């Protein structure tokens, strides 16, 4: 239910009658909730605006069948309060969506954060007023607040995207996007269902939909390398045992490459004998989840080593899928292992052995149109009762650019990022003072355990704001030179790896017309964290800190 602004500790009002606040946070997922907690503790007047009908962010929207995290539960949870860790009982190795959403609701209640959150309110514009040194925050209905600081906690994968197929809106049946799933669930019993897309969301939902539907047809553009999750219920006492290791485990996550302490093999695949390669690959496959990324040190930097891993997964696909032609269609051939976000699945390949499941390769027979009765490919007409779009997101920049953000001299972020996103440390942009991005482009974000990265950013941003307030700094802004140097560094590091050579949402390739740039930072979570800490220790090197206009 939507709550109002009544409880907000507001100091005064703007000319629009909207509250004048210290900080506005956009989004109430993991980032927004933790920001609200930290900034309120700092003594700031804070308001969170959330487009959804409740807290949860990604986990509020992505309720498709099979939605589940692929980072282990204990690592995909806040670490800022010991009692919170001890009081919450994760029951499975990988938590399902409803459990994570329940956890986030628990966090909102436990820390009394709801009073700071305005639900059902989509921020559409942010305008910097240089004279007043504040941001004006607007929705479609008008100005809702002004604030000294705005923090975008809008998520990296929150702008759901349905491709613009001809006739898309003519379909008479039901359509769904995995990232915007009906709250009451969907009963596919007896239906002919189409799923378009075989990324992580498709891969998690396809086996469950196949079990419910009369007939499932999967439209695949790019086959993926799917590792098994080997999810299981945590044995009694196991969670408690894991919690006991929590401080060490979390420290290890913070210092690690992916923000989660995968058991990294220090050896390069090319330096191992074929027997050792095979033994290692089987061992990592048996671990499940994202462990395969860590099976050799050079998987994402050496094409030869990568091929060893990729061939291993290809053989696994052939071993499971009984029809060799279907197995061939499911086998990735046009990209290297791990350079598209590696999906983790349960019974994914097994599902294609079912009588009621058909796989269509849209490269061979492209989708020509959505019709009133179903989907037309270059080969035939399919009739469906429901179409599920598992077609992903305008990643990393989509949710930010959906807001009309205007900084100094009215410059819009859309103009600034026309050739690709530019942000110092992935946190702040030159020309946009006092605006912070949580897990923005140019930070490890989507290449990491998001919760580790979110906590690091929120802590860093909170410290930066505290620093500014203690010193009477009115404008906290990335310098153009520091931003340019960081963007260059992000790009250089990316090109040491195989990532930029693959079409993926990491590079914007899934969105027609989007600039092709490898957006996240692949320098590793631990190294990035240290770098950010050094910047802060050097009085925020690379930022221009300015006294209030009235004082300067
Ligand atoms: O989206 P995706 P997602 N015609 O972009 C296809 C996180 N996540 O929602 O690869 C036909 O990965 C597209 O094909 P191609 C995770 O970070 C995590 O699945 O572009 N097909 C692809 O197959 C993940 O990576 C979990 O050629 C079209 C699919 O649609 C990210 O979210 C679970 C098409 C989109 O896949 C996004 O995953 C779920 C077209 N015109 C998500 N356009 C966990 O397990 C697109 N496709 C934690």
């Amino acid at each position: 239910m939507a709550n109002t602004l009544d409880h907000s500790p507001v100091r005064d009002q703007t000319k629009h009658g909207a509250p004048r606040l210290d900080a506005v946070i956009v989004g109430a997922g993991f980032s927004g909730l933790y920001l609200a907690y930290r900034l309120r503790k700092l003594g700031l007047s804070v308001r969170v605006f959330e487009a959804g009908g409740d807290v949860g962010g990604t986990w509020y929207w992505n309720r498709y069948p099979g939605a589940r995290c692929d980072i282990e539960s204990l690592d995909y949870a806040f670490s800022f309060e010991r009692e919170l860790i001890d009081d919450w009982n994760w029951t499975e190795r990988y938590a399902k969506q409803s459990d994570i959403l329940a956890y986030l609701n628990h966090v909102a209640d436990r820390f009394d954060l709801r009073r700071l959150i305005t639900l059902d309110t989509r921020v559409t514009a942010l305008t910097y007023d240089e004279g007043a040194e504040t941001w004006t925050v607007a929705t479609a209905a008008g100005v809702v607040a002004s604030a000294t600081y705005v923090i975008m906690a809008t998520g990296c994968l929150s702008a759901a995207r349905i491709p613009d197929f001809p006739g898309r809106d003519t379909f008479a049946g039901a359509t769904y996007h995995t990232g915007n799933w009906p709250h009451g669930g969907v009963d596919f019993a007896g239906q002919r269902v189409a799923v378009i897309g075989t990324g992580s969301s498709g891969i998690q939902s396809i086996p469950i939909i196949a079990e419910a539907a009369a007939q499932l047809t999967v439209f695949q553009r790019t086959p993926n390398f799917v590792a098994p999750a080997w999810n299981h219920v945590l044995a009694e006492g196991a969670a408690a045992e894991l919690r006991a290791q929590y401080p060490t485990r979390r420290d290890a996550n913070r210092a690690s490459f992916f923000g989660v302490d995968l058991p990294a093999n220090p050896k390069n695949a090319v330096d191992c004998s074929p027997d050792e390669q095979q033994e290692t690959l089987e061992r990592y496959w048996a671990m499940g989840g994202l462990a395969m990324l860590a099976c050799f040190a050079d998987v994402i930097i050496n094409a030869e080593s990568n091929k060893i891993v990729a061939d291993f997964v290809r053989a696994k696909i052939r071993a499971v899928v009984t029809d060799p032609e279907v197995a061939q269609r499911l086998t990735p051939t046009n990209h290297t292992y791990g350079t598209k976000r590696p999906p983790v699945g349960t019974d994914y390949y097994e599902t294609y052995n079912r009588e009621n499941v058909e796989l269509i390769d849209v490269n061979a027979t492209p989708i020509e149109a959505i019709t009133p009765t179903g989907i037309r490919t270059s080969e035939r007409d399919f009739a469906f009762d429901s179409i599920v779009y598992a077609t992903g997101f305008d990643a990393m920049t989509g949710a930010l650019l959906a807001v009309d953000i205007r900084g100094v001299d009215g410059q819009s972020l859309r103009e600034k990022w026309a050739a690709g996103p530019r942000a110092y440390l992935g946190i702040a942009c030159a020309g946009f003072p006092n605006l912070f991005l949580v897990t923005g482009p140019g930070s490890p974000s989507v290449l990491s355990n998001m919760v580790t990265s979110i906590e690091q950013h929120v802590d860093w941003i909170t410290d930066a704001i505290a620093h500014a307030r203690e010193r009477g700094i009115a404008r906290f802004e990335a310098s153009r030179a520091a931003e340019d140097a960081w963007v260059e560094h992000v790009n250089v590091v990316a090109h040491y790896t195989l990532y930029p050579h693959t079409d993926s949402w990491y590079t914007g390739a899934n969105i027609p017309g989007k600039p092709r740039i490898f957006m996240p930072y692949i320098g590793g979570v631990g190294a990035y964290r240290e770098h950010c800490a050094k910047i802060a220790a050097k009085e925020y090197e690379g930022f221009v800190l300015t006294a209030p206009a009235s004082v300067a």
Side-chain angles (χ1 to χ4, degrees):
M1 199 175 78
N3 45 18
T4 67
L5 293 175
D6 293 351
H7 304 293
S8 179
V10 173
R11 283 209 301 272
D12 58 338
Q13 299 201 322
T14 66
K15 63 175 188 269
H16 305 279
R20 195 186 299 277
L21 302 158
D22 293 321
V24 158
I25 297 161
V26 187
F30 267 98
S31 311
L33 291 174
Y34 184 39
L35 271 164
Y37 169 87
R38 288 293 321 265
L39 295 183
R40 181 184 58 187
K41 221 171 177 180
L42 203 60
L44 270 64
S45 56
V46 177
R47 179 132 299 273
V48 184
F49 292 104
E50 165 56 55
D54 209 337
V55 301
T58 287
W59 302 101
Y60 172 84
W61 298 103
N62 285 264
R63 299 168 185 241
Y64 59 84
R68 174 181 296 282
C69 192
D70 59 8
I71 301 284
E72 297 198 22
S73 318
L74 275 121
D75 298 309
Y76 196 81
F78 287 123
S79 68
F80 62 83
E81 200 201 68
R82 182 72 219 194
E83 290 74 27
L84 173 63
I85 296 160
D86 289 340
D87 290 355
W88 189 262
N89 198 30
W90 295 107
T91 55
E92 291 182 79
R93 181 184 186 193
Y94 298 110
K96 57 180 180 294
Q97 172 270 333
S98 56
D99 286 350
I100 303 173
L101 186 60
Y103 169 76
L104 289 171
N105 274 278
H106 168 74
V107 169
D109 292 331
R110 182 185 184 106
F111 299 106
D112 194 20
L113 299 174
R114 287 190 195 277
R115 65 173 58 230
L116 303 177
I117 303 170
T118 305
L119 299 171
D120 294 310
T121 303
R122 184 175 289 281
V123 170
T124 54
L126 294 165
T127 312
Y128 188 65
D129 178 337
E130 272 199 85
E133 290 167 328
T134 56
W135 285 93
T136 301
V137 182
T139 68
V143 173
V144 287
S146 81
T148 308
Y149 301 100
V150 172
I151 305 101
M152 300 300 283
T154 40
C156 297
L157 294 154
S158 47
R161 177 187 165 263
I162 296 185
D164 199 9
F165 294 118
R168 193 182 69 182
D169 300 327
T170 63
F171 181 57
T175 58
Y176 307 97
H177 188 284
T178 48
N180 194 1
W181 201 259
H183 287 197
V186 179
D187 182 3
F188 288 115
Q191 290 196 14
R192 298 156 303 171
V193 181
V195 172
I196 305 177
T198 52
S200 299
S201 305
I203 281 156
Q204 286 186 327
S205 57
I206 283 165
I208 317 269
I209 296 175
E211 276 176 16
Q215 172 67 33
L216 171 65
T217 309
V218 176
F219 293 84
Q220 170 192 271
R221 187 164 70 180
T222 309
N224 244 312
F225 295 100
V226 185
W230 307 131
N231 183 42
H232 53 79
V233 171
L234 290 171
E236 214 166 296
E241 216 171 281
L242 289 170
R243 274 200 298 268
Q245 310 157 4
Y246 210 79
T248 351
R249 188 173 170 126
R250 270 307 170 109
D251 283 347
N253 286 353
R254 291 185 192 106
S256 70
F257 193 83
F258 290 113
V260 58
D261 192 23
L262 299 175
N265 180 2
K267 287 189 171 173
N268 292 329
V270 284
D271 298 335
C272 298
S273 69
D275 281 355
E276 187 177 357
Q277 287 167 358
Q278 203 58 21
E279 179 280 319
T280 306
L281 287 162
E282 288 291 357
R283 195 155 39 83
Y284 276 78
W285 187 258
M287 291 177 202
L290 296 171
M292 286 296 285
L293 273 177
C295 66
F296 294 108
D298 56 350
V299 179
I300 56 163
I301 50 177
N302 181 327
E304 198 185 330
S305 294
N306 190 287
K307 184 171 179 311
I308 291 164
V309 182
D311 283 346
F312 174 83
V313 182
R314 291 180 184 122
K316 290 285 183 196
I317 299 169
R318 285 193 296 274
V320 172
V321 181
T322 47
D323 181 332
E325 263 182 47
V326 177
Q328 188 53 39
R329 257 177 272 155
L330 285 166
T331 300
T333 51
N334 76 344
H335 65 282
T336 43
Y337 180 80
T339 53
K340 273 169 121 55
R341 166 64 160 78
V344 173
T346 296
D347 293 337
Y348 179 66
Y349 293 119
E350 287 80 352
T351 297
Y352 292 92
N353 293 335
R354 295 176 65 105
E355 292 283 309
N356 69 334
V357 175
E358 184 179 14
L359 177 67
I360 304 298
D361 173 0
V362 302
N363 298 301
T365 56
I367 294 175
E368 291 188 339
I370 307 293
T371 65
T373 51
I375 294 178
R376 178 179 309 136
T377 67
S378 57
E379 190 188 46
R380 68 190 222 237
D381 269 302
F382 294 82
F384 295 116
D385 302 300
S386 295
I387 298 177
V388 174
Y389 290 97
T391 44
F393 302 87
D394 184 354
M396 301 205 74
T397 57
L400 294 167
L401 297 182
V403 182
D404 184 12
I405 305 179
R406 291 182 183 266
V408 173
D409 294 332
Q411 187 197 13
S412 82
L413 194 66
R414 288 175 194 152
E415 284 159 19
K416 181 182 167 92
W417 285 9
R422 308 185 69 75
Y424 181 36
L425 305 175
I427 292 180
C429 301
F432 296 78
N434 297 359
L435 178 82
F436 296 101
L437 316 176
V438 181
T439 61
S443 72
S445 60
V446 292
L447 295 173
S448 72
N449 172 0
M450 286 303 289
V451 180
T452 309
S453 289
I454 285 168
E455 286 195 325
Q456 185 249 334
H457 266 190
V458 170
D459 290 343
W460 194 96
I461 291 165
T462 305
D463 290 349
I465 291 175
H467 178 94
R469 284 164 65 86
E470 279 159 19
R471 288 160 183 75
I473 288 159
R475 275 173 66 150
F476 195 106
E477 183 182 353
S479 78
R480 188 90 45 194
E483 181 181 270
D484 288 349
W486 183 253
V487 170
E488 170 70 12
H489 173 65
V490 169
N491 200 27
V492 167
V493 176
H495 280 87
Y496 278 113
T497 74
L498 303 170
Y499 280 101
H501 308 293
T502 292
D503 282 350
S504 70
W505 58 255
Y506 292 139
T507 61
N510 65 325
I511 304 293
K514 188 165 174 171
R516 289 292 298 270
I517 289 196
F518 186 73
M519 294 182 285
Y521 178 55
I522 183 65
V525 164
Y528 171 82
R529 179 186 193 84
E530 269 183 36
H531 184 72
C532 289
K534 276 189 201 145
I535 298 285
K538 289 189 210 164
E539 299 274 320
Y540 295 92
E541 187 179 57
F543 286 87
V544 181
L545 311 185
T546 318
S550 53
V551 178

